[in-house]
Amino acid sequence: MNLIAFGIAGLTLILGIGIGYFISRTQTEGAHRKLQEKADQILQDAKEQARTVEIQARDSALKISQAAEAEINRLRAELDREEERLQKRRNELDGRVERLEQREQAVNKRQSAVDRRANEVEKMHEEHLQELQRVAQMNVEEARGILLAEVEKDARGDMARIIRQIETEAREEGEKRARNLIADAIQRVASDRVAEFTTSLVPLPNEEMKGRIVGRNGRNIRAFEQAAGVDVIVDDTPEAVTISCFDPVRREIARRALSRLILDGRIHPAHIEKVLDDEQKAVEKTIVEAGEQAAFDAGVAGLHPEVLRMMGRLKYRTSYGQNQLAHAVEVAKLAGILAAELGANVDLAKAGGFLHDLGKAMYHNQEGTHALLGAEFAKRYGVNPAVVNAIASHHHEVEQESVEAVITESADAISGARPGARREDLEAYIKRIRALEDMATSFKGVNQAYAIQAGREVRIIVKPEEIDDLEATRLARDIAKKIEETMQYPGQIRVTVIRETRAVDYAK
C-alpha cells in the first residue's frame, strides 16, 4: 500500500510538473507572440512615419531648389541690366572723349591764333611806346614817376576828405550818444555837493587868545607845532590863526586840538600833548567811519578794513577844492550807471570808480604816482585784478584791459569836469593856459595858437603855404596826442586847426 501510494504520489508529481511546464510554455509563447505583434506594429508605424518625413523632406528640397533657381534668375537679370548700363556708360564716355579731343584741337587752333594776335599787339605796343617816348621826350620810368605822384596826390586828397567825413560823422553820433548818456548819469546821481573846501583857519574868541596860544617866549606854540607836526601862523588876521601842513590828516588833528584848547582855556605843553593824543584817536575813528560810510553810499562791498581806512583819509583831502572822498563816491555812482547803460559789469565799475584815487591818501614819503600807488595798495589787500587795472590806468599810465577801466576814467572825468566841481587858482590857471598855447606853437607850420573856454579848447591858425588840408588833419591829431601825453587836465581839450587861404588883387 505504501508503494502504491508512493507511486501515485510520484505520478501525480510528474503529471503536475508536466502540466505546469505546459502551462508555462503556453504563457511564454503567448507573451512572445504579443511582443512580436507589438514590435511589428512599431516597425510598421516607424516605416509610415519615415515615409511621411521623406515626403516632407522632398517637398522642402523642391521648394528650396525652386527658390534658389528664382534667386539665380533674379541675380542674372540684375547682372544683365548692370552690364547694359555699363555698356551704355562706356559708350557715353567714348563720345565725351571724342568731343574733348575735338575741343582740344579747336582750342589749340584758337591759342595759335591768340598767340599770333598777342605778338602783333606786343609789336604794336612797342611801336606806340617808342612813338610816345619820342613825342613826350621822356622814358617809361619818368612817366611812371609823374603818374604815381599825381595818383598819390589825388589819393591823399580823397583820403583827407574821407577821414574828415568819417571823423565828423563819428564825432556827431558819438557826441550825441555820449551827451545823452552822461546827462542821464549826472541827473541820476544828483550830487548835493558842488565843492567842499578844507580850511586851516581856526577862529578865536578874541585877540587876547593869540598871546595865550603863543605862550611865554613862544613855549606853547613851539610845543604845539612839535607835537602836532604843523606850522601855526599867528599874523594880523583878525580873530583867527592859520594852521599850515602838507598832510591834511595832521592838519585836521591840529585844527580840532587847537579849537578844543581854545574852548578849554588851558593851554600849556602837558595839556597840549594830551589833547592832541585824544584828537588823533578821534580822527582815526572818524576816518574809519567815513571810509565805511562812503563804501556803503557807493554800493561797494567786500573791501578790506585797511582799504576802507585809507579811503577814509580822503575825507580830509581836496583836489582843486573838490573833496576827494565825496568825489570817489560820486565817481562810483556815475561808473555804475554808465556800466549798466553799456552792459558792462556794474560791481567792477563801481569798485574801480570808488578806489581810483586811493593813492592820494598815501603818505608823502612813498614814491610814485597816485594811480600806481593806489593800484599797488589795492592789490596787496586782495582787490579784484580788473579793479586794480582800472585804478592804475585811469590816467593812462598803464594799458586799460577792460571796458570797466574805460568807464572808470570817463566817470572820473565827468565828476571832475562838471560845472562847479573844482576851482583853480589864477596863477596855476594862467600857467596851464600858457603851457597849452606854447605846446601848440611848437609844431612846424603853426602861426598862432589861442586857448579858450578856460583851457577846454585850443584854436590853432596855421600857415596855408606850409600846411595843406591833409597836414591840417594830421597836425590836429598830433597836437591832441602830445597834450594827452604831457599835460594833466580834467575832462577833455578840443583841438581845432584853422587853415585860411586869402586871394587879394587890386583893380587899377
Side-chain angles (χ1 to χ4, degrees), residues 174-310:
E175 286 180 355
K176 181 179 178 181
R177 295 185 62 184
R179 191 179 297 112
N180 294 335
L181 188 60
I182 292 171
D184 179 66
I186 292 176
Q187 288 174 359
R188 290 174 64 182
V189 171
S191 176
D192 57 351
R193 294 186 180 183
V194 178
E196 181 177 326
F197 308 108
T198 59
T199 178
S200 298
L201 289 178
V202 179
L204 304 177
N206 50 60
E207 288 294 323
E208 295 178 359
M209 187 59 67
K210 290 183 180 180
R212 298 180 61 181
I213 291 173
V214 174
R216 182 178 300 176
N217 298 325
R219 180 187 64 175
N220 294 342
I221 193 171
R222 284 196 302 271
F224 186 86
E225 289 178 343
Q226 184 177 1
V230 300
D231 293 330
V232 180
I233 301 172
V234 182
D235 53 14
D236 296 335
T237 304
E239 297 183 353
V241 294
T242 303
I243 297 176
S244 175
C245 180
F246 55 83
D247 189 333
V249 177
R250 289 213 308 262
R251 187 171 65 242
E252 176 64 15
I253 293 173
R255 185 191 67 80
R256 295 176 60 158
L258 186 57
S259 298
R260 181 176 168 183
L261 287 170
I262 291 170
L263 292 176
D264 190 287
R266 294 177 295 170
I267 304 176
H268 53 82
H271 192 55
I272 286 173
E273 292 181 0
K274 180 181 181 303
V275 172
L276 282 171
D277 185 61
D278 293 341
E279 291 301 327
Q280 183 175 1
K281 294 178 180 178
V283 169
E284 286 294 331
K285 182 179 179 182
T286 303
I287 285 174
V288 173
E289 293 175 352
E292 294 175 351
Q293 183 62 40
F296 176 77
D297 293 340
V300 179
L303 296 178
H304 193 277
E306 281 298 316
V307 176
L308 294 177
R309 188 183 69 82
M310 193 60 68

Side-chain angles (χ1 to χ4, degrees), residues 35-310:
L35 289 174
Q36 185 66 34
E37 291 175 359
K38 188 176 182 179
D40 293 340
Q41 184 65 35
I42 290 172
L43 181 62
Q44 183 67 29
D45 294 340
K47 289 180 179 179
E48 291 179 359
Q49 189 175 1
R51 189 179 296 109
T52 303
V53 170
E54 183 181 1
I55 293 171
Q56 292 177 353
R58 288 179 181 178
D59 293 340
S60 299
L62 180 62
K63 292 179 180 179
I64 292 172
S65 176
Q66 291 176 352
E69 185 176 358
E71 181 67 16
I72 291 171
N73 293 333
R74 187 182 65 79
L75 293 175
R76 187 179 290 110
E78 288 182 358
L79 288 175
D80 293 340
R81 289 195 298 271
E82 185 67 19
E83 185 177 359
E84 291 178 359
R85 190 179 66 81
L86 290 176
Q87 184 62 34
K88 184 178 180 182
R89 188 64 179 271
R90 190 179 297 111
N91 295 334
E92 291 179 356
L93 291 175
D94 292 340
R96 289 183 181 181
V97 170
E98 292 178 359
R99 289 193 295 272
L100 287 175
E101 290 177 352
Q102 294 176 358
R103 289 182 181 179
E104 184 177 1
Q105 293 176 359
V107 168
N108 291 334
K109 292 180 181 179
R110 290 183 181 180
Q111 184 64 37
S112 300
V114 169
D115 292 340
R116 290 194 301 270
R117 185 63 178 171
N119 293 332
E120 294 176 359
V121 170
E122 184 68 23
K123 184 177 180 181
M124 293 175 62
H125 175 69
E126 292 292 337
E127 294 176 354
H128 289 166
L129 184 60
Q130 293 176 0
E131 183 66 17
L132 287 174
Q133 292 180 1
R134 185 185 65 79
V135 173
Q137 296 182 356
M138 65 177 65
N139 56 26
V140 176
E141 295 298 329
E142 294 174 350
R144 183 180 290 111
I146 295 175
L147 179 61
L148 289 176
E150 292 295 328
V151 171
E152 181 180 3
K153 184 177 179 180
D154 294 341
R156 285 178 178 271
D158 294 339
M159 182 173 64
R161 287 192 295 272
I162 293 172
I163 289 174
R164 285 198 300 271
Q165 180 179 359
I166 293 175
E167 287 184 348
T168 301
E169 293 176 356
R171 189 179 297 110
E172 290 177 354
E173 181 65 21
E175 286 180 355
K176 181 179 178 181
R177 295 185 62 184
R179 191 179 297 112
N180 294 335
L181 188 60
I182 292 171
D184 179 66
I186 292 176
Q187 288 174 359
R188 290 174 64 182
V189 171
S191 176
D192 57 351
R193 294 186 180 183
V194 178
E196 181 177 326
F197 308 108
T198 59
T199 178
S200 298
L201 289 178
V202 179
L204 304 177
N206 50 60
E207 288 294 323
E208 295 178 359
M209 187 59 67
K210 290 183 180 180
R212 298 180 61 181
I213 291 173
V214 174
R216 182 178 300 176
N217 298 325
R219 180 187 64 175
N220 294 342
I221 193 171
R222 284 196 302 271
F224 186 86
E225 289 178 343
Q226 184 177 1
V230 300
D231 293 330
V232 180
I233 301 172
V234 182
D235 53 14
D236 296 335
T237 304
E239 297 183 353
V241 294
T242 303
I243 297 176
S244 175
C245 180
F246 55 83
D247 189 333
V249 177
R250 289 213 308 262
R251 187 171 65 242
E252 176 64 15
I253 293 173
R255 185 191 67 80
R256 295 176 60 158
L258 186 57
S259 298
R260 181 176 168 183
L261 287 170
I262 291 170
L263 292 176
D264 190 287
R266 294 177 295 170
I267 304 176
H268 53 82
H271 192 55
I272 286 173
E273 292 181 0
K274 180 181 181 303
V275 172
L276 282 171
D277 185 61
D278 293 341
E279 291 301 327
Q280 183 175 1
K281 294 178 180 178
V283 169
E284 286 294 331
K285 182 179 179 182
T286 303
I287 285 174
V288 173
E289 293 175 352
E292 294 175 351
Q293 183 62 40
F296 176 77
D297 293 340
V300 179
L303 296 178
H304 193 277
E306 281 298 316
V307 176
L308 294 177
R309 188 183 69 82
M310 193 60 68

